Amino acid sequence: MARDSYHHGNLKQALVDATVRLVEDKGPMAFTLAEAARLAGVSAAAPYRHFAGRDQLLEEVARQGYQDFAARLESAFDGGRPTALSAFVRMGQAYLQFAREKPGFYMAMFEAGLSIAGNAELSAASERAQSALVEAARALFARLPADRRPPATMVANHIWAMSHGVVELFGRGRPGGRSPASADEMLESGALIYLRGLGVIPD
């Protein structure tokens, strides 16, 4: 069995990469730190140079996932061009694309039961992603009279919850995946119905 044989000189990232593969194969709760070490090609003791335990390693996976996720959302919004609504729809598409392309990171972020508040760097990365959605929601309602604007954070959280539900039911082979509509179509139509009810889109 290979021991301390990684060649790229970055033990921490090697363990993160191995963990992502294990999460994709087994889920975020069904692997051990020793398995991550074995897959990374290092000794069972090596991970403790960087991580106190399995949960801390998963937190690093989630942190990196949130950083990528937030960057994708920010890029999709692109300052609200050409319109805040079209930018908002792109953000939904970016959400689904991230879940499809980075399932190991996605599961670590949302299905590992991690305490985000207990890790400052992870919390900051998560807040960056939420802030992107809040900014987009705020832009959506900028043209409405102040007394008709719903709380931007509430709207962002509703859209986040809807996106997550679509991923779980329609985007990852779950029971709802048999829908004749694609996950992208489900999310876009649901978001537009929701926004119409809030007055962003005229009847």
Side-chain angles (χ1 to χ4, degrees):
M1 183 182 299
R3 294 295 186 184
D4 295 316
S5 60
Y6 59 98
H7 299 294
H8 33 68
N10 190 338
L11 170 61
K12 184 175 183 179
Q13 192 59 44
L15 290 165
V16 167
D17 295 342
T19 298
V20 169
R21 290 168 59 189
L22 287 168
V23 170
E24 290 176 357
D25 291 342
K26 299 185 174 187
M29 308 302 291
F31 73 95
T32 66
L33 195 60
E35 286 179 293
R38 188 179 308 114
L39 188 58
V42 300
S43 69
Y48 294 99
R49 300 176 197 171
H50 295 285
F51 304 105
R54 194 183 72 99
D55 283 354
Q56 195 175 81
L57 176 52
L58 271 172
E59 287 173 9
E60 177 58 19
V61 173
R63 185 195 69 79
Q64 291 188 19
Y66 271 115
Q67 290 281 29
D68 183 4
F69 180 57
R72 289 173 184 237
L73 293 179
E74 292 163 354
S75 178
F77 184 59
D78 190 27
R81 290 183 287 268
T83 68
L85 180 58
S86 64
F88 203 73
V89 170
R90 286 199 306 270
M91 293 178 84
Q93 294 167 346
Y95 192 112
L96 297 183
Q97 185 176 18
F98 176 82
R100 283 192 294 262
E101 293 180 355
K102 305 277 187 155
F105 286 101
Y106 189 89
M107 286 186 276
M109 291 157 61
F110 299 117
E111 299 174 16
L114 300 175
S115 175
I116 291 178
N119 182 316
E121 292 184 347
L122 174 56
S123 180
S126 173
E127 288 174 8
R128 177 185 169 192
Q130 185 183 37
S131 293
L133 286 169
V134 171
E135 178 186 352
R138 190 172 289 117
L140 277 172
F141 299 104
R143 295 185 179 181
L144 292 180
D147 61 348
R148 290 182 52 204
R149 296 175 194 164
T153 299
M154 178 195 76
V155 172
N157 287 340
H158 283 169
I159 293 297
W160 192 322
M162 187 185 302
S163 302
H164 187 71
V166 169
V167 168
E168 292 301 310
L169 289 173
F170 302 99
R172 294 173 54 198
R174 300 294 175 86
R178 291 186 291 274
S179 169
S182 69
D184 295 81
E185 292 169 335
M186 291 294 296
L187 179 57
E188 182 173 344
S189 61
L192 292 177
I193 291 169
Y194 171 73
L195 294 174
R196 180 174 287 114
L198 291 176
V200 176
I201 305 170
D203 292 332

